[in-house]
């Protein structure tokens, strides 16, 4: 019932919304980041984090720490929280929470398949997978030789199966194919998630549409930039864009024909929300684009918390935590490699 | 007034006098000094490094080392727990060890343990593999035999027409089996055997089916033994499988799937004799490994036991060290970097003790320079510290739960100790139930030593913490129960015979006309004859209602009088004149008068209608009272009281803010000297001491609104709080009615039947209802209402409760790492 969520939302969603808002208040603050950026060693970082919610997860780590351990433990905390929420959730919230995982699943599938292609050890690859994107038969991915087998053997059991309908070919797997597969899957996933949120209606669909549209547009820009100078045809490129978002459909037409970064910029600057992002960058620069997009995303995610009675807070919280873990990873790497001058390059503050 | 000033001071009435002290400790004796202070536990350090993040502080490395050590200790504890050993609870008496030594020891132990664990893990893994191999050999062997037998049977079927004797058939099949691997390998039928977790079998089979497109045969059998998973230390059920397939490509795929599913493959020879031979080998190696494993385990257990012997001691040492360094981190280095400067609060009575401890520290660490200890002035309000004991502590907790008293404010806990259980008992008056509570409370009190040392559940802990509250509550409910004359709602003739008797021998009209009084009133409490009479409820209601108002008024007056003592203590004469006096007048001219009327009516036995008197006192004060007159001059008195009450309202509302305003302007007229004098005090402060200057801005409208809210709250509160005390009557009524219902409608009804089963059921229902509804729920509700009466009705008359608690640095209050 549109506009009347306040009446019934709390019956099933109230508890978890409270939980997620509580989790959110545990995000690191500006003061935390300031202190973290001043750390001299990884032990200092551990010590500082032990005063935050990450404390219990790091306290039993023996002293010569590595960046990977910190990231692993922080991710573990996120996964624990996610699992807690998932077990408490009822339909349709549980489906919504499941949807949040699919992106990681796609990434993991691609990771394993690429890794096997380059003959890496499966166990080693599994350790690198994001724990949120794990599914039962993930290790079996290594058996598959081409897309069709990939689908028939493994993915048919996973929630990703419907997304695969677009890319069942008998072509052998190579880097290019895998990348196309990732983007096709992602496109199908985003569209499906978008439809699902539309179906939920109310504030959820309103806010999630906005967030997902941003995600789709960002992917479109990234695909365009990454495919410049490759053998991907314009039509193929056009096919990888998701069929919704601010850029759909006219922006996609323009992006599809772009041949260099400045053309992308020209196409994007016609859209006011993205104007500010591109106006920060100097011409010909694409390095800082990621950070600019992340900053914009974080801003939008934080805004999702301003409204009550909707599911977007769960999505926003998961994304914010992931961003925080990325920040921690960057800070730890900078500290570990004595590159403290670059600490601020890639940290996206969340407030 | 003289008399009041000369009263001996009550310990619990005002919080301890505190003082801000500064310590200047030479670096070499700092650690010892702080740890002695921790043993003493009477000084609360102030954090002078508030602006620094934890890893920028001076002793961060030591803190880190302690954290590392406690991590190791947790690891040991975990290991000991895993090994199923029990920690020796009494810390072994041994000389104190130095931190450095301990650190080395811990590192050694950890190294040793990790190595042992790695070894035993390796052994365990080999053992598991062998065990699995054994099972695979057994089970897969069965499959092979059966399938081989099957094939052989088919072949014999084919050759059925050839007459052969059994012996020949046997030898033939054996021969065939020996021959089989050759041809079958050539025809491409091979097999892989292995073992997999039971939970994964279904998916595994499905995956195999898909990859080979159905060209395979899957056989499985439940393994006999469970296998220990070394990581999670849990036993896992496993299933042995044999997959038959054909083709080399399928083989690589199946092997990959096996790997992906974590299935362990073991080669099983098709030959029976070879199989037997291998089985024998495996078995012998298994038994060998078992002994090695056991020896390893024994060795590890021994090491763990020796660690466990010291573990508790070490844990306290490390946590104390960590606390000491945390406190040292709150201190500042002085300019020369040779001394640490610390500030903290301590109660005045503890000054000599602290000085002694500091001297001891200087002496013990052979320091040239002693610790300088001196008292400082402070603008900030000191922390509140009450010295409580087992008995007074829970009552203090009840008060603190509402708000910690302002420094030196009158402490309501003093009165709460008696009034709280008493008001509870007024609502819970039944000496049968009281005795049940008393037994529980006595149990808790008598097992105090034993229960206090062990960990209780949260509910039990609450009960145990409040055991003395429970004790007094039960004693008072026995007392009130005797007054109400109720024992599980049944009256008893304890204090002699009833004052009433029937009019004639048949007692037929006792319910309709009533009884006659033939002797003096029943000496203590309610006369048992009221029970069951027609006028029982009106009588008890009137009694309890009036009693509630009397109690309420007494307690509220006590609250206002305490506000007088507060004002006097802080020498605030404005509060006395313009708050205490009008409040007293207002409350007592209305409800104090009502109380007097109640008592007069009780004493004289008058029939006056008090409702009528009170209501018409406001509606038409000048009217004649008529038959409701209780004493001479009542009408005049009422008019005077009413006028007094009316005057009291503006009295408490207007003068105070205006006087405050005048005082404020006066203070700033002679400003030149005043400010010089006060600013002098700040100058000799340490520059980095974090004392904030208090800027007092006088905002008249704010003060006035505040005063208005106060006055209105009091006037309305006088009515609503008095009414609120009627809950004493309501709950007491509810309690006695409930217990009557359970007694009459359950126990007596069941007893009426001449059937043992019904009687027993009735008794059981009665017992459960008494235990759970009357003893638990009613206790809780009466407790809550007593709590409310204290927090709201009593404490809002005088208690500010905006102080903060004194939290001394003490080893005794260090949190346990147990959880």
């Amino acid at each position: 019932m549109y506009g009347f969520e306040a009446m019934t939302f709390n019956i099933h969603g109230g508890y978890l919304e409270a939980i997620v808002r509580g989790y959110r208040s545990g995000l690191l603050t500006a003061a935390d980041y300031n202190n973290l950026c001043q750390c001299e060693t990884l032990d200092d970082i551990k010590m500082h984090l032990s005063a935050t919610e990450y404390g219990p997860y790091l306290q039993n780590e023996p002293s010569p720490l590595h960046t990977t351990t910190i990231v692993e433990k922080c991710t573990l905390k996120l996964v624990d929280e996610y699992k807690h929420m998932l077990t408490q959730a009822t339909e349709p919230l549980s489906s919504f929470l499941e949807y949040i995982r699919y992106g990681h699943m796609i990434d993991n599938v691609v990771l394993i398949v690429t890794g096997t292609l380059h003959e890496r050890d499966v166990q080693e690859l599994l350790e690198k997978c994001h724990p949120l994107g794990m599914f039962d038969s993930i290790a079996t991915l290594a058996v598959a030789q081409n897309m069709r087998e990939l689908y028939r053997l493994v993915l048919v059991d996973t929630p990703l199966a419907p997304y695969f309908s677009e890319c069942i070919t008998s072509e052998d797997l190579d880097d290019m194919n895998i990348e196309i597969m990732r983007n096709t899957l992602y496109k199908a996933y985003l569209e499906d998630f978008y439809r699902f949120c539309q179906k939920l209606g109310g504030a959820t669909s309103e806010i999630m549409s906005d967030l997902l549209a941003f995600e789709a547009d960002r992917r479109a820009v990234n695909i365009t930039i990454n495919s410049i100078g490759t053998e991907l045809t314009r039509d193929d490129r056009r096919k990888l864009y998701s069929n919704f978002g601010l850029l759909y459909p006219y922006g996609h037409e323009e992006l599809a024909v772009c041949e260099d970064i400045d053309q992308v910029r020209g196409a994007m600057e016609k859209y006011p929300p993205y104007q500010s992002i591109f106006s920060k960058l100097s011409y010909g620069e694409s390095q800082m684009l990621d950070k600019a997009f992340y900053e914009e995303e974080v801003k939008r995610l934080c805004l999702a918390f301003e409204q009550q009675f909707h599911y977007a807070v769960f999505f926003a919280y998961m994304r914010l935590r992931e961003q925080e873990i990325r920040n921690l990873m960057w800070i730890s790497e900078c500290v570990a490699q004595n590159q403290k001058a670059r600490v601020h390059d890639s940290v996206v503050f969340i407030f | 007034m003289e008399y009041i000033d000369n009263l001996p001071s009550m310990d619990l009435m005002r919080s301890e006098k505190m003082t801000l002290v500064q310590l200047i400790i030479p670096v070499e004796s700092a650690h010892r000094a702080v740890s002695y202070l921790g043993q003493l536990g009477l000084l609360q350090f102030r954090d002078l490094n508030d602006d620094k993040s934890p890893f920028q502080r001076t002793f961060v490395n030591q803190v880190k080392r302690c954290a590392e050590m406690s991590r190791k200790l947790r690891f040991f504890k975990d290991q000991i727990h895993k090994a199923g050993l029990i920690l020796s609870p009494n810390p072994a008496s041994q000389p104190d060890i130095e931190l450095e030594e301990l650190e080395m020891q811990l590192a050694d132990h950890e190294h040793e343990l990790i190595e042992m664990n790695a070894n035993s893990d390796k052994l365990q893994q080999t053992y598991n593999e062998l065990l699995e191999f054994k099972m695979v050999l057994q089970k897969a062997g069965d499959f092979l035999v059966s399938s081989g037998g099957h094939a052989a049977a088919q072949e014999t079927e084919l050759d059925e027409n050839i007459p052969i004797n059994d012996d020949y058939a046997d030898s033939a099949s054996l021969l065939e089996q020996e021959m089989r691997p050759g041809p079958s390998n050539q025809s491409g039928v091979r097999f892989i055997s292995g073992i997999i977790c039971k939970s994964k079998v279904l998916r595994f089979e499905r995956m195999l089916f898909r990859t080979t497109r159905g060209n395979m045969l899957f056989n499985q059998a439940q393994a006999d033994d469970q296998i220990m998973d070394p990581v999670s230390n849990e036993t896992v059920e496993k299933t042995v499988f044999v997959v038959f397939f054909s083709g080399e490509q399928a083989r690589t795929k199946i092997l990959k799937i096996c790997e992906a599913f974590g299935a362990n493959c073991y080669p099983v020879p098709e030959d029976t004799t070879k199989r037997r031979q291998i089985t024998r080998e495996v078995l012998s190696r298994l038994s060998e490994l078992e002994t090695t494993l056991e020896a390893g385990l024994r060795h590890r257990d021994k090491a763990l036991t020796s660690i466990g012997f010291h573990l508790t001691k070490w844990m306290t040492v490390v946590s104390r060290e960590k606390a000491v360094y945390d406190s040292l981190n709150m201190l500042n280095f002085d300019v020369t970097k040779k001394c640490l400067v610390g500030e903290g609060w301590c109660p005045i009575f503890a000054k000599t003790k602290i000085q002694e401890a500091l001297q001891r520290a200087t002496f013990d660490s052979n320091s040239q320079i002693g610790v300088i200890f001196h008292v400082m002035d402070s603008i900030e309000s000191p922390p509140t510290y009450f010295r409580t004991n087992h008995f007074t502590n829970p009552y203090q907790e009840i008060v603190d739960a509402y708000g910690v008293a302002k420094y030196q404010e009158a402490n309501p806990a003093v009165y709460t100790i008696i009034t709280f259980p008493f008001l509870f008992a007024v609502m819970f008056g039944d000496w049968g139930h009281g005795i049940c509570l008393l037994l529980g409370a006595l149990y808790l009190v008598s097992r105090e030593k034993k229960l206090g040392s062990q960990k209780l559940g949260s509910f039990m802990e609450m009960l145990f913490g409040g055991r003395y509250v429970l004790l007094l509550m039960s004693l008072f409910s026995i007392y009130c129960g005797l007054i109400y004359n109720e024992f599980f709602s049944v009256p008893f003739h304890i204090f002699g015979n009833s004052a009433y008797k029937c009019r004639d021998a048949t007692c037929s009209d006792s319910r309709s006309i009533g009884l006659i009084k033939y002797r003096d009133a029943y000496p203590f409490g309610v006369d048992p004859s009221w029970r069951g009479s027609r006028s029982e409820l009106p009588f008890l209601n009137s009694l309890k209602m009036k009693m509630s108002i009397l109690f309420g008024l007494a307690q509220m007056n006590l609250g206002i009088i305490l506000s007088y003592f507060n004002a006097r203590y802080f020498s605030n004469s404005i509060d006395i004149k313009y708050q205490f006096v009008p409040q007293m007048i207002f409350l007592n001219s209305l409800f104090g008068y009502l109380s007097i009327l109640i008592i007069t009516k009780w004493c004289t036995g008058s029939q006056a209608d008090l409702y009528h008197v009170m209501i018409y006192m406001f509606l038409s004060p000048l009217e004649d009272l008529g038959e409701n007159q209780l004493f001479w001059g009542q009408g005049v008195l009422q008019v005077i009281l009413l006028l007094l009450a009316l005057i009291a309202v503006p009295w408490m509302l207007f003068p105070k803010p205006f006087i405050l305003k005048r005082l404020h302007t006066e203070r700033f007229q002679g400003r030149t000297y005043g400010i010089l004098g006060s600013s002098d005090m700040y100058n000799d402060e340490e520059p980095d001491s974090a004392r904030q200057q208090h800027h007092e801005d006088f905002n008249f409208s704010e003060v006035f609104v505040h005063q208005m809210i106060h006055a209105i709250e009091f006037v309305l509160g006088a009515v609503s709080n008095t009414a609120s005390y009627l809950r004493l009557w309501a709950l007491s009524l509810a309690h006695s009615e409930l217990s009557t219902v359970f007694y009459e409608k359950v126990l007596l009804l069941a007893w009426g039947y001449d059937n043992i089963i019904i009687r027993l059921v009735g008794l059981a229902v009665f017992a459960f209802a008494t235990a759970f509804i009357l003893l638990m729920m009613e206790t809780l509700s009466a407790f809550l209402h007593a709590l409310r009466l204290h927090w709201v009705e009593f404490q809002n008359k005088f208690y500010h409760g905006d102080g903060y608690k004194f939290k001394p640095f003490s080893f005794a209050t260090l949190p346990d790492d147990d959880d």
Side-chain angles (χ1 to χ4, degrees), chain A residues 35 38 44 59-60 153 157, chain B residues 53 55-56 64 74 210:
Chain A
N35 283 332
Q38 290 166 13
D44 287 348
Q59 70 172 2
N60 280 340
L153 293 185
D157 285 339
Chain B
S53 58
F55 50 84
Q56 285 170 330
K64 266 192 215 163
R74 276 198 302 273
R210 273 193 207 140

Side-chain angles (χ1 to χ4, degrees), chain A residues 35 38-39 41 43-44 47-48 59-63 121 136-137 139-140 142-143 149 152-153 156-157, chain B residues 53-56 60 63-64 67-68 71 74 110 203 206-207 210-211 213 253 256-257 259-261:
Chain A
N35 283 332
Q38 290 166 13
C39 287
T41 64
D43 277 336
D44 287 348
M47 186 159 170
H48 186 84
Q59 70 172 2
N60 280 340
E61 288 310 308
S63 204
D121 184 32
D136 286 334
S137 42
T140 339
V143 183
E149 276 193 343
R152 207 172 50 79
L153 293 185
V156 70
D157 285 339
Chain B
S53 58
F55 50 84
Q56 285 170 330
V60 60
V63 172
K64 266 192 215 163
E68 178 71 14
R71 183 191 65 75
R74 276 198 302 273
E110 192 197 19
R203 267 185 286 123
R206 192 162 55 201
M207 188 58 69
R210 273 193 207 140
T211 27
R213 298 168 190 253
K253 276 187 184 170
K256 266 189 180 172
I257 293 174
E259 192 190 352
F261 274 89

Side-chain angles (χ1 to χ4, degrees), chain A residues 231-351:
Chain A
E231 54 203 63
L232 199 70
T233 63
R234 288 177 178 180
D235 280 346
D236 283 346
R237 192 197 282 178
R238 175 74 189 77
K239 269 189 213 156
L240 296 178
Y241 299 152
S242 308
N243 286 332
F244 66 97
L246 209 57
L247 298 178
Y248 176 79
Y250 303 113
H252 287 169
E253 301 296 339
E254 282 186 63
L255 281 181
V257 297
C258 287
E259 290 300 335
D260 61 39
I261 177 92
D262 287 332
Q263 284 179 8
V264 176
R265 186 191 188 104
M268 294 299 288
E269 278 185 341
K270 290 173 190 158
Y271 293 88
Y274 301 118
Q275 219 169 15
S276 61
I277 294 179
F278 278 86
S279 65
K280 279 185 216 152
L281 308 173
S282 53
Y283 273 88
E285 187 189 24
S286 63
Q287 297 295 318
M288 296 301 280
L289 187 63
D290 268 344
K291 194 191 174 193
F293 266 121
Y294 276 137
E295 274 171 359
E296 177 69 17
E297 190 192 4
V298 162
K299 212 161 75 191
R300 286 165 183 245
L301 292 172
C302 286
L303 284 179
F305 282 92
E306 300 295 315
Q307 266 195 63
Q308 221 188 326
F309 309 127
H310 63 92
Y311 291 155
V313 282
F314 298 96
F315 179 79
Y317 170 70
M318 295 299 286
R319 283 299 170 92
L320 286 175
R321 256 300 179 215
E322 280 165 25
Q323 182 60 46
E324 183 176 288
I325 293 170
R326 273 196 293 274
N327 289 344
L328 281 176
M329 181 159 75
W330 179 261
I331 294 175
S332 316
E333 279 297 345
C334 286
V335 168
Q337 296 175 11
N338 252 331
Q339 297 275 331
K340 283 188 64 183
R342 296 192 55 201
V343 158
H344 289 281
D345 283 2
S346 181
V347 173
V348 182
F349 294 106
I350 306 167
F351 310 118

